[in-house]
Amino acid sequence: MNATGERDFLALQLATMAPHRALLRSIECRFMSGVPLAHPVLDVGCGDGHFASIAFDEPLDVGLDPMERDLAEAATLRPHVYKSLVRGSATRMPFGDNVFATVVSNSVIEHIPDIESTIAEIGRVLQPGGTFATTLPSEHYPDFLLGSTLFRKAGLSGLAHAYGAFFNRISHHSHIDPPDVWEERLNRAGLTLTEHQYYFSKRAHHAFDPAHVLGVPNLASKRLLGTWVIHPWQTIPFERWYRRYYEETLPEIGAYQFIRCSKQ
């Protein structure tokens, strides 16, 4: 807990996750932990359950994911994080209509090529009056990267574009769209946008791509030893570096965006 009584999501993420993910996920924890959870709750793209284990202080009813390996890891967290886990696709969910009062999805649906079917399915399984909350990269994601910025300042616009495209490709982003595009998609599925907020300023995003290189030791320890962090001392320099971005005022535009909507 910090001085205001809020959980220190940055410290929690750095202790258990690669640094480039820890900074981003810690800010997303702040958004998602503030979503009132009316039950039953569905987590679309729950993965290994790591994010939900930190973001939420109560178990979610169902975690949905297509990856058997990730679900097996998430199963070790039951029943404290998920009451049940289901293997399935977000484009064709194995649930009836109007089942869930809340649907959450953290940095997942931007990876799914068939986004129309995904949002339609979320709208179908959500109860009338229910809430859907998600985090996503914004249209500014490629331009706000440090590499893209440096190439652009050097007058190398082609390389700046290629660098941003490269990061989108290795991040498996199928969609980096502005809020009006997402709002149109949501409306077609019977969902009404009730909150939108950019996060992750240009300055914060400049720390993002170099952290991929600095996090190589974490990746090695994860693959060899099954853990991202071997010793707490590993987190000290990143905590000092990232704290300013974690605590920054939310920007008018950012590399990522938080969306909350309701089903009419």
Side-chain angles (χ1 to χ4, degrees), residues 51-92:
F51 180 83
S53 71
I54 293 177
F56 303 110
D57 57 6
E58 59 184 289
L60 308 186
D61 296 279
V62 181
L64 175 74
D65 202 275
M67 302 299 292
E68 187 172 0
R69 181 181 62 182
D70 287 344
L71 287 175
E73 192 166 347
T76 65
L77 304 174
R78 291 176 60 197
H80 307 293
V81 179
Y82 297 105
K83 295 178 182 178
S84 66
L85 293 163
V86 176
R87 186 180 183 189
S89 170
T91 62
R92 193 172 182 179

Side-chain angles (χ1 to χ4, degrees), residues 122-232:
I122 290 170
R124 181 184 66 80
V125 303
L126 191 62
Q127 297 173 2
T131 295
F132 169 53
T134 186
T135 56
L136 305 154
S138 80
E139 71 276 27
H140 303 293
Y141 175 93
D143 293 334
F144 281 12
L145 291 164
L146 178 61
S148 301
T149 302
L150 293 177
F151 282 130
R152 201 161 45 249
K153 284 184 176 180
L156 302 171
S157 58
L159 284 177
H161 177 78
Y163 186 89
F166 168 73
F167 257 83
N168 272 325
R169 186 167 64 253
I170 65 172
S171 300
H172 305 288
H173 290 158
S174 295
H175 312 280
I176 50 161
D177 300 311
D180 59 328
V181 172
W182 286 107
E183 185 171 15
E184 290 175 6
R185 290 173 176 148
L186 293 165
N187 289 344
R188 286 195 291 270
L191 302 172
T192 300
L193 185 68
T194 57
E195 181 180 358
H196 176 273
Q197 175 63 59
Y198 284 113
Y199 62 96
F200 226 58
S201 68
K202 182 183 292 188
R203 196 169 67 116
H205 207 40
H206 284 173
F208 182 71
D209 37 333
H212 283 73
V213 177
L214 297 173
V216 167
N218 300 81
L219 177 62
S221 64
K222 176 64 174 177
R223 291 186 175 179
L224 295 173
L225 304 174
T227 180
W228 289 103
V229 180
I230 300 174
H231 195 281

